[in-house]
Amino acid sequence: MQPAIALIDCNNFYCSCERLFDARLHERPLVVLSNNDGNVIARSEEAKRLGLKMGEPIFKAWKTMERHQIEWFSSNYELYGDLSARVMETLSDFTPEVEHYSIDEAFLTLPSEKSQSLIEVGRNIRQRVKHHVGIPVSVGIAETKTLAKIAAFHAKRSFKAEGVVELFRSPFQQRAMELTPVAEVWGIGPRYAEMLHAHEIFTAWDLRNTPDDWVRQQMTVVGLRTVHELRGIPCHPLELSP
């Protein structure tokens, strides 16, 4: 039986790392700056709501930061790398098949025939990482990496989901894709998004239903793999080698 793919995404990872060591920062707006303190490279949810943009130069953000007393930190990649390794080690308790996709994201496989439901496994993962490492994560579960990314996208944004969205062979897949802007689909960059908008393809569901020949012509075989993944056909296996 086809295993499920889970994406574990650390929430506002650099900001969450800084909060681990200073209790007063919880629920306060904060940002982390680039190596030379020139740009905003991470924002807490509170800072996002105040309008700070990813990559925004600090000289443009400074008035907003002063007005709202936004805390800021220089980036500390040694700390972030250490906490990332702890998150990945905790995830390996659930399965040996863990792909370290980035410093704050990992894909893993979950057997789909276990007696415990996938949503329960997702909640256990979230609780275990929070308890062992102190980092909040969102969990998206589906048949493919691309669908798992969409599930995680909604896990981060839905209050009702409580951090876990499971779309594995789910009747809610269509609705989830209808609510996902095409620019948020894994592998769709700004240039492709602009081109797709010009052809009235605005959501992940629109892209899923686009004819293969057109996708191959406009987006090459790489784009076609993305469309197949949106249809639940795995095209991107886990890469387990470091």
Side-chain angles (χ1 to χ4, degrees):
M1 184 177 291
Q2 178 185 350
I5 301 294
L7 174 68
I8 316 303
D9 189 353
C10 299
N11 298 342
N12 308 316
F13 181 55
Y14 295 169
C15 294
S16 295
C17 291
E18 298 293 347
R19 280 177 166 164
L20 274 180
F21 300 96
D22 192 341
R24 71 184 177 85
L25 296 175
H26 287 277
E27 298 186 0
R28 284 186 56 80
L30 68 105
V31 298
V32 174
L33 306 180
S34 56
N35 280 335
N36 60 357
D37 292 344
N39 301 80
V40 174
I41 60 170
R43 305 157 296 158
S44 69
E45 290 299 325
E46 297 81 3
K48 292 176 185 178
R49 288 196 289 269
L50 291 171
L52 290 183
K53 302 291 191 295
M54 180 67 79
E56 188 171 6
I58 190 64
F59 72 86
K60 288 187 176 180
W62 195 251
K63 284 187 179 179
T64 301
M65 292 173 62
E66 283 192 321
R67 186 184 314 123
H68 296 286
Q69 297 183 312
I70 297 173
E71 303 275 355
W72 64 272
F73 294 86
S74 299
S75 50
N76 182 348
Y77 294 112
E78 185 175 357
L79 170 67
Y80 308 150
D82 179 66
L83 289 170
S84 174
R86 295 187 197 182
V87 170
M88 301 304 170
E89 184 179 357
T90 302
L91 296 179
S92 67
D93 292 342
F94 291 89
T95 173
E97 296 185 340
V98 179
E99 175 186 334
H100 300 184
Y101 178 65
S102 68
I103 194 169
D104 61 346
E105 292 178 286
F107 289 105
L108 52 147
T109 58
L110 300 175
S112 57
E113 72 276 6
K114 277 193 169 183
S115 57
Q116 190 179 34
S117 73
L118 290 171
I119 195 76
E120 289 174 325
V121 174
R123 288 170 180 160
N124 287 343
I125 290 172
R126 192 166 187 266
Q127 291 166 4
R128 184 89 61 90
V129 173
K130 180 66 173 175
H131 178 73
H132 284 191
V133 190
I135 298 294
V137 302
S138 298
V139 181
I141 304 171
E143 294 99 304
T144 69
K145 284 182 173 180
T146 304
L147 286 173
K149 276 273 194 178
I150 287 175
F153 172 81
H154 291 290
K156 279 192 168 187
R157 289 158 179 79
S158 169
F159 180 78
K160 289 176 63 177
E162 297 182 340
V164 182
V165 168
E166 187 261 298
L167 295 177
F168 186 79
R169 297 174 183 163
S170 167
F172 299 107
Q173 274 192 18
Q174 177 176 341
R175 185 58 178 156
M177 283 188 267
E178 288 173 342
L179 293 173
T180 305
V182 73
E184 297 293 340
V185 174
W186 190 39
I188 302 298
R191 289 179 61 187
Y192 270 146
E194 185 178 354
M195 181 273 291
L196 291 168
H197 288 164
H199 289 85
E200 299 188 345
I201 299 170
F202 299 108
T203 69
W205 184 250
D206 294 337
L207 182 58
R208 178 202 181 278
N209 294 317
T210 302
D212 286 6
D213 290 344
W214 188 92
V215 173
R216 184 189 291 273
Q217 183 179 19
Q218 300 293 329
M219 303 174 66
T220 76
V221 70
V222 176
L224 187 59
R225 291 193 190 110
T226 295
V227 170
H228 285 179
E229 288 240 326
L230 290 173
R231 296 172 185 165
I233 304 167
C235 297
H236 300 294
L238 260 63
E239 299 178 13
L240 305 179
S241 299

